[in-house]
Amino acid sequence: SGPSSADELDGSKGVVREVRKEAPMIEDLLTEAEMKMEQAVEHVASEFATVRTGRANPQILKRITADYYGQPTPLLQLASVSVPEPRLLVVTPFDPNSLSDIERAIGQSDLGLNPNSDGQVIRIAFPPLTEERRLELVKMVRHMAEDGRVAVRNIRRNAKGDIEALHGEISDDDIRRAEKELQDLTDKYVGQIDALLEEKEVELREV
């Protein structure tokens, strides 16, 4: 990354930089790395939310778009979704005229759902997953988790390169301390992805 983040601190924290020039540079790099790692974990969580399990979950409709007066529109902008029972979603269109388009979009999606409408609301029942489908989905979420771990490790690698580039400007001790902190951050966020995966696998295995 460029020098901008450290440079921006020159004006407001000039005194601090004279006393301990390396602190803002290292802190900026670690803060930026942590922010990116958080985003990688959030991305995995949002991906997991779109994977269908035997449980009714409104988030799986997040990727569906329905035709609304000729415009492809995210379904969650066209209707409210409630979960009256653990295996049932009820979709209530804000505009009753869009009901058939929403029903069609859900039926044509790759989620394998069969929506039923009574002319006012759409009910989506979640039958238990077959063992074969369950194993496919476990494989899919493991792949999503691995992508997330790779993203976190790439952020670590780039930040480590930036820290090592400060060699000569800051002490070796400070570089070592920063690298240790960076590794701790990496372990923390990879651990969060592992915990999300474990939770999702438990959901998928529920009969």
Side-chain angles (χ1 to χ4, degrees), residues 51-190:
V51 175
R52 183 196 152 185
T53 66
R55 250 186 237 176
N57 174 5
Q59 286 301 309
I60 72 154
L61 303 177
K62 197 170 157 185
R63 286 182 299 172
I64 297 179
T65 56
D67 186 71
Y68 186 62
Y69 294 104
Q71 291 296 315
T73 308
L75 187 152
L76 296 180
Q77 288 180 19
L78 298 175
S80 66
V81 184
S82 59
V83 189
E85 297 168 28
R87 292 187 186 275
L88 183 70
L89 283 184
V90 174
V91 179
T92 308
F94 301 130
D95 175 356
N97 295 324
S98 65
L99 187 135
S100 59
D101 289 327
I102 292 173
E103 186 179 3
R104 190 180 308 115
I106 295 167
Q108 290 174 351
S109 74
D110 61 359
L111 294 169
L113 299 169
N114 292 310
N116 287 298
S117 86
D118 61 5
Q120 291 181 311
V121 299
I122 299 163
R123 288 181 176 80
I124 308 166
F126 284 66
L129 297 168
T130 64
E131 190 55 28
E132 187 187 357
R133 183 67 177 143
R134 208 185 294 278
L135 292 172
E136 277 174 24
L137 292 172
V138 166
K139 203 179 290 183
M140 186 198 293
V141 295
R142 284 179 179 172
H143 183 71
M144 289 172 173
E146 186 50 32
D147 285 350
R149 291 188 202 102
V150 168
V152 169
R153 290 184 189 122
N154 284 342
I155 294 160
R156 173 190 163 277
R157 191 181 65 229
N158 293 338
K160 190 169 187 280
D162 290 341
I163 289 167
E164 284 170 353
L166 297 173
H167 189 73
E169 293 182 56
I170 64 174
S171 73
D172 288 351
D173 279 351
D174 280 319
I175 286 179
R176 271 195 296 275
R177 263 198 297 275
E179 287 182 348
K180 164 79 169 68
E181 201 173 323
L182 183 62
Q183 186 58 52
D184 290 345
L185 287 174
T186 306
D187 295 343
K188 173 184 166 183
Y189 288 103
V190 166

